Amino acid sequence: MSSSRVFVARLNGMSVFDPLGDEVGRVRDVVVTLTGRAAHHGPRVIGLVVEVPGRRRVFVPITRVTSIDAGQVITTGLVNMRRFQQRPGETLVVGELFDRRVTVHEDGEPVPAVVEDIAMDLQRGGDWRLTKLFVRKGVDTGPARGLRLRRRRGETVLLDLEEVEGLHDAGPAQAATALLEAYEDLKPQDLAEAIHDLSPKRRAEVADALDDETLADVMEELPDDDRLEILTHLPSERAADILEVMQPDDATDLLADLPVDTQEQLLQLMEPDEAADLRRLLTYDEDTAGGLMTTEPVILGPEASIAEALALVRREEVHPAVASLVYVTRPPHETPTGRLLGSVHIQRLLREPPHQPVGSILDPEIDPVSPDASLGEVTRALATYNLVALPVTDGEGRLLGAVTVDDVLDHILPDDWREDRGELTEVSDV
């Protein structure tokens, strides 16, 4: 080994390479055992959680790590690509030990502290063990939403493990400040992967720490069981706020899994306009165009300019699939709209002069589907037109929403597709 001491916060996000120099992935956590033989020498590191292409998190035994140095981790080249699953007795350093409440002693008096980083040292026998804690003393270590955005106060100190009490105890709810700082470079999809690997208790604590918009984005990427677990953990008022921020089709899918009385309670707490959209979507079967659609497509009147249309689809909060088509309708321009006049693909918008009205470049070949259209009909229509979105209209031709290909795939793929992402694979034949 090139380095004999590594701090986990620095290790997190570090690139992992095989002996030939090909990148395997990035370190996302360290797996340790807090108990067992020789535990008095410090918790033993048993491996790394590495994120490989495809957002899959796999386990790399520490015995396969040959070097940690100069901002990189070198492995033997063989990686089991089966998705990482935490076993009984295993603890995630970033996921579970960062932000843990502990106690240190000053002049014989107990002082509360929180763990912000942990050092792992290479032992003479070749084992890696946790040996040092970087803690912040005398701070309010309870959980609070948005805690990572606050400037933390309190003296920081590096201590031996034996100088600290409480590391082995999960104890009461803990904050997620250091954990989220370690994951601050992650997109919502990747953060969802990280949260999925945590225990239910820790998932709830992370959810409490995230702001509403980030949590909504993350929940849209989580398996159904995880997001239902998080939503039912949240106070009703905040659960309603999260549903308002989520994409309407995702929020509807989540509501549909709740008892009817709980659905109604949350809908009553939402803004009336937001709740009305979800109530409408709940009336459709989930495997129909109405059950699949979003009620927030990009809508303009025929006199709007191409420049206006491009400004709307350019907004960061607009999903790429939703942004692919602009729908032109008679007033009103919120679903359910006036009569749908036609649709314009974003590629056509990019080819025409910015001052030209969108009503002059409608695509006559994009036919809408009815809200009762089956999943098969929607799939065939998307394939026929080579599109990633389709308009949904009622019997009078009014636009009700749009179906996007990502929602179709969610219903075509197996229920556990987010979790079942790989088998045993040889990354490098060395």
Side-chain angles (χ1 to χ4, degrees), residues 22-37:
D22 294 325
E23 185 170 358
V24 175
R26 289 183 179 274
V27 177
R28 288 306 179 193
D29 217 321
V30 175
V31 186
V32 301
T33 56
L34 296 180
T35 59
R37 292 182 300 174

Side-chain angles (χ1 to χ4, degrees), residues 325-328 340-345 358 361-364 366 390-391:
L325 279 183
V326 172
Y327 305 95
V328 181
L340 175 68
L341 300 178
S343 308
V344 184
H345 196 278
V358 292
I361 57 170
L362 301 180
D363 189 334
I366 302 178
L390 276 175

Side-chain angles (χ1 to χ4, degrees), residues 35-329:
T35 59
R37 292 182 300 174
H40 58 280
H41 293 304
R44 183 170 63 89
V45 176
I46 60 175
L48 308 176
V49 179
V50 176
E51 184 179 277
V52 298
R55 303 207 315 269
R56 187 186 309 126
R57 289 173 176 251
V58 302
F59 177 72
V60 177
I62 198 67
T63 54
R64 292 194 179 275
V65 175
T66 60
S67 174
I68 302 176
D69 194 21
Q72 62 183 13
V73 176
I74 307 297
T75 71
T76 60
L78 294 176
V79 175
N80 186 330
M81 299 299 284
R82 190 173 294 111
R83 192 183 189 283
F84 167 71
Q85 289 187 319
Q86 190 175 0
R87 298 176 180 177
E90 295 179 347
T91 301
L92 299 173
V93 175
V94 176
E96 298 176 274
L97 296 185
F98 278 19
D99 300 298
R100 179 154 291 187
R101 302 186 195 193
V102 294
T103 302
V104 299
H105 290 272
E106 288 185 349
D107 300 325
E109 295 294 325
V111 177
V114 63
V115 176
E116 293 196 348
D117 202 354
I118 300 180
M120 47 187 272
D121 279 71
L122 181 61
Q123 309 297 302
R124 288 184 178 179
D127 285 345
W128 283 89
R129 291 187 179 272
L130 303 187
T131 57
K132 298 280 187 178
L133 297 180
F134 183 75
V135 303
R136 188 175 295 272
K137 299 189 297 184
V139 296
D140 177 8
T141 56
R145 193 189 320 172
L147 187 61
R148 62 175 171 153
L149 302 179
R150 304 176 187 172
R151 182 179 296 278
R152 292 171 292 174
R153 298 177 180 177
E155 179 189 359
T156 56
V157 61
L158 185 66
L159 301 171
D160 293 330
L161 260 68
E162 54 267 26
E163 298 179 81
V164 175
E165 296 177 0
L167 183 67
H168 293 64
D169 304 323
Q174 66 189 68
T177 309
L179 183 151
L180 293 176
E181 286 178 348
Y183 290 153
E184 64 183 354
D185 64 322
L186 299 186
K187 297 178 180 179
Q189 299 92 331
D190 303 313
L191 184 54
E193 276 288 305
I195 291 174
H196 174 68
D197 289 335
L198 302 176
S199 67
K201 174 181 178 294
R202 196 66 178 126
R203 267 197 297 270
E205 291 164 350
V206 174
D208 288 339
L210 291 170
D211 61 79
D212 287 355
E213 290 190 2
T214 303
L215 180 56
D217 289 342
V218 167
M219 287 181 64
E220 290 173 0
E221 304 298 331
L222 284 170
D224 291 342
D225 289 348
D226 286 354
R227 59 185 184 178
L228 188 62
E229 170 197 290
I230 290 173
L231 189 76
T232 53
H233 151 79
L234 297 173
S236 297
E237 292 79 6
R238 191 177 184 213
D241 292 341
I242 297 300
L243 289 170
E244 287 182 350
V245 180
M246 292 177 68
Q247 292 294 321
D249 48 335
D250 287 308
T252 303
D253 289 343
L254 189 49
L255 275 174
D257 291 332
L258 296 171
V260 175
D261 56 343
T262 306
Q263 288 182 21
E264 186 58 32
Q265 178 190 8
L266 294 175
L267 288 167
Q268 291 285 353
L269 291 170
M270 295 175 64
E271 292 295 326
D273 290 346
E274 300 283 350
D277 285 342
L278 300 191
R279 290 183 190 277
R280 184 153 48 91
L281 290 176
L282 284 168
T283 63
Y284 299 110
D285 291 337
E286 63 175 354
D287 289 331
T288 64
L292 295 168
M293 71 182 180
T294 176
T295 56
E296 298 179 350
V298 179
I299 304 168
L300 286 170
E303 71 286 346
S305 68
I306 289 174
E308 291 178 71
L310 289 173
L312 286 177
V313 299
R314 192 180 294 123
R315 290 179 303 169
E316 184 177 356
E317 64 269 22
V318 179
H319 190 283
V322 173
S324 66
L325 279 183
V326 172
Y327 305 95
V328 181
T329 75

